[in-house]
């Protein structure tokens, strides 16, 4: 099965990702998680479900799920995967599923075989940034996204200073 979303095409059998007809280097585990999300985009996938399907018969920590979700968010944008507290994760970008070869699809959004075409809409329409994280951070308008991190860093500095002066 192939999935088209935004400028991306994902081949779930080969676990290969293309953007604008260029193959992107996507490691195996993030690709398996992406396949899980795209094959059931309306489903909220728990950490346990992801661990069971991507790391079967292996004992790994929850941290590997967080890291791989982070990798996918860096690639597709923070809004691509929604976190539901204590429930799991859900894919948010509208996608089209189809059978066939990647080469046969000049533009992934123009899939016309109605018997295999499936449109999936997220619960809420949000703009998703397709630039790399470094490109986003270089833009002046991205400062609003940095503010929560600065707030957290400031709180940690104040906490550290409070502890320092309390102990001295």
């Amino acid at each position: 099965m192939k999935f088209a979303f935004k400028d991306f095409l994902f081949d779930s059998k080969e676990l290969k990702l293309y953007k604008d007809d260029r193959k992107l280097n996507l490691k195996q585990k993030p690709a398996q998680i992406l396949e899980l999300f795209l094959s059931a985009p309306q489903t909220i996938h728990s950490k346990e479900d992801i661990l069971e399907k991507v790391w079967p018969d292996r004992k790994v920590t929850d941290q590997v799920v967080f890291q791989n979700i982070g990798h996918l968010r860096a690639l597709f944008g923070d809004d691509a995967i929604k976190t539901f507290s204590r429930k799991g994760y859900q894919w948010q970008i509208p996608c089209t599923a189809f059978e066939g070869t990647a080469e046969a699809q000049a533009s992934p959004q123009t899939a016309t075989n109605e018997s295999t075409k499936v449109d999936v809409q997220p619960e809420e329409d949000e703009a998703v940034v397709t630039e790399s994280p470094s490109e986003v951070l270089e833009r002046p308008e991205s400062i609003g996204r940095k503010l929560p991190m600065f707030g957290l860093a400031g709180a940690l500095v104040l906490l550290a200073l409070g502890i320092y002066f309390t102990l001295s």
Side-chain angles (χ1 to χ4, degrees):
M1 182 73 65
K2 308 233 180 344
F3 299 93
F5 55 96
K6 297 194 132 214
D7 299 332
F8 295 94
L9 178 70
F10 180 70
D11 183 335
S12 65
K13 290 180 182 156
E14 300 287 327
L15 295 179
K16 292 183 181 176
L17 179 67
Y18 301 88
K19 181 177 184 191
D20 297 325
D21 298 325
R22 290 179 293 131
K23 184 177 181 251
L24 300 178
N25 186 17
L26 184 62
K27 294 182 180 179
Q28 182 181 9
K29 295 305 182 184
Q32 289 175 323
I33 293 173
L34 180 60
E35 191 274 330
L36 178 66
F37 284 146
L38 293 176
S39 64
Q42 303 271 324
T43 303
I44 298 173
H45 301 277
S46 67
K47 281 184 302 189
E48 294 76 20
D49 183 41
I50 294 170
L51 287 168
E52 179 182 311
K53 291 184 175 149
V54 178
W55 288 274
D57 304 322
R58 286 195 63 199
K59 184 71 175 165
V60 293
T61 66
D62 294 349
Q63 189 64 32
V64 296
V65 174
F66 305 142
Q67 289 171 342
N68 284 282
I69 296 285
H71 180 75
L72 293 173
R73 284 180 172 149
L75 188 60
F76 302 120
D78 288 338
D79 297 334
I81 301 167
K82 184 173 183 178
T83 301
F84 290 88
S85 182
R86 296 189 183 114
K87 291 183 182 178
Y89 305 94
Q90 183 184 44
W91 185 252
Q92 296 294 300
I93 300 175
C95 64
T96 302
F98 59 92
E99 294 289 339
T101 62
E103 294 78 22
Q105 299 294 326
S107 173
Q109 287 77 14
T110 60
T112 56
N113 185 346
E114 294 298 323
S115 64
T116 58
K117 185 175 177 182
V118 179
D119 286 329
V120 178
Q121 297 296 324
E123 289 181 358
E124 53 195 43
D125 288 329
E126 297 181 25
V128 178
V129 178
T130 59
E131 296 94 348
S132 71
S134 61
E135 291 172 329
V136 173
L137 292 177
E138 291 172 2
R139 293 185 303 170
E141 63 269 18
S142 70
I143 192 69
R145 291 186 172 169
K146 294 180 190 177
L147 289 178
M149 189 58 73
F150 288 134
L152 177 61
L156 290 174
V157 168
L158 290 174
L159 178 65
L161 287 172
I163 293 171
Y164 174 77
F165 287 113
T166 302
L167 295 176
S168 15

